[in-house]
Amino acid sequence: MGVVEEWKWKVEDGHLELEPPKKKTKWEWLPPPVDRPVRVYADGIFDMFHIGHAKMLEQAKKLFPNVHLIVGVCGDKTTHAFKGKTVFSEQERYESARHCKWVDEVIEDAPWVITEEFLQEHKIDYVAHDADPYPSSHDGAEDDVYAYVKRKKIFVPTRRTQGISTTDIIVRIVRDYDDYVRRNLDRGIPAKEMNVSWTRVGASFLLV
């Protein structure tokens, strides 16, 4: 059994800080192997790879003294079907994960739901992810894609980095849309390439 303090990384005024724990959560997991590296699997979309992704993978890498970290990155077909459109292509997302210093191995086109066959094929000892339930409409049978590995007691929780996610980054861009359009126009990016017209309403550009 492990006791996880709910410390969370957060981004505050551009600085990365640790948020104090509000509670401790008990998780049970099987004892790790001692005669070889522990094979930990962490999966995700990893769109617009950012510090939140890197901190999650660092935690997974440091779960045990000797970890071989395997990172599964879902491909475009799976991601678009279950989560929606991405900014980066699957190849860009694969390479972003592969170039993170904590990562030992990348599995491309990773499955949305982890099965026993997948665990056996890749000799996975533990699965690392934040502990919140992650709903899936894969077959309607589970409301958490990690339910199976949690029941097997091979799930180890990581901490989310508050204030930074792919969604947060997209919100920042959309919120300051006009500023970024002007920035790119000043840098010589054609308006047509950004799908904007020269027509203005007040200080705003219109989509074409």
Side-chain angles (χ1 to χ4, degrees):
M1 176 180 288
V3 178
V4 179
E5 291 189 346
E6 295 295 313
W7 284 84
K8 293 183 178 180
W9 289 100
K10 65 176 180 177
V11 176
E12 188 75 31
D13 296 327
H15 299 287
L16 193 63
E17 300 177 356
L18 269 175
E19 189 176 63
K22 295 182 176 65
K23 62 179 181 178
K24 294 182 179 181
T25 304
K26 291 184 178 180
W27 284 88
E28 292 187 13
W29 54 78
L30 299 176
V34 295
D35 57 345
R36 60 171 173 79
V38 181
R39 294 175 66 82
V40 174
Y41 177 74
D43 61 357
I45 308 303
F46 301 107
D47 194 20
M48 301 175 70
F49 195 94
H50 52 71
I51 185 63
H53 294 138
K55 294 302 297 182
M56 176 264 202
L57 296 177
E58 179 184 6
Q59 292 171 62
K61 179 69 173 178
K62 295 179 177 180
L63 285 173
F64 304 99
N66 185 11
V67 166
H68 179 85
L69 180 58
I70 308 162
V71 173
V73 183
C74 297
D76 284 347
K77 184 177 180 181
T78 299
T79 302
H80 297 167
F82 288 106
K83 194 165 185 179
K85 182 177 176 60
T86 56
V87 177
F88 284 7
S89 70
E90 60 184 19
Q91 289 299 327
E92 291 169 326
R93 294 185 291 108
Y94 298 154
E95 289 305 310
S96 295
R98 189 170 282 119
H99 282 78
C100 177
K101 73 174 186 176
W102 308 111
V103 176
D104 297 301
E105 178 183 345
V106 169
I107 296 176
E108 299 182 0
D109 196 21
W112 192 253
V113 178
I114 301 168
T115 63
E116 182 62 32
E117 291 74 20
F118 182 81
L119 294 171
Q120 294 297 327
E121 178 183 356
H122 298 284
K123 299 178 173 63
I124 294 167
D125 296 309
Y126 297 97
V127 174
H129 199 271
D130 67 84
D132 294 340
Y134 206 93
S136 173
S137 57
H138 182 71
D139 56 11
E142 296 281 11
D143 58 3
D144 182 4
V145 297
Y146 299 102
Y148 177 67
V149 292
K150 288 176 180 178
R151 288 196 299 268
K152 280 180 65 72
K153 298 182 181 180
I154 60 169
F155 180 86
V156 184
T158 58
R159 301 179 300 270
R160 279 182 174 270
T161 301
Q162 300 301 304
I164 182 71
S165 68
T166 301
T167 299
D168 292 330
I169 293 171
I170 293 173
V171 167
R172 294 181 201 178
I173 294 170
V174 172
R175 181 187 61 208
D176 299 322
Y177 169 78
D178 285 356
D179 293 337
Y180 289 117
V181 169
R182 292 192 187 91
R183 169 186 179 273
N184 280 2
L185 288 172
D186 290 343
R187 295 186 177 192
I189 305 298
K192 184 176 181 180
E193 188 172 328
M194 293 186 287
N195 198 32
V196 298
S197 73
W198 289 103
T199 306
R200 292 172 182 260
V201 176
S204 298
F205 291 90
L206 287 181
L207 288 171
V208 295

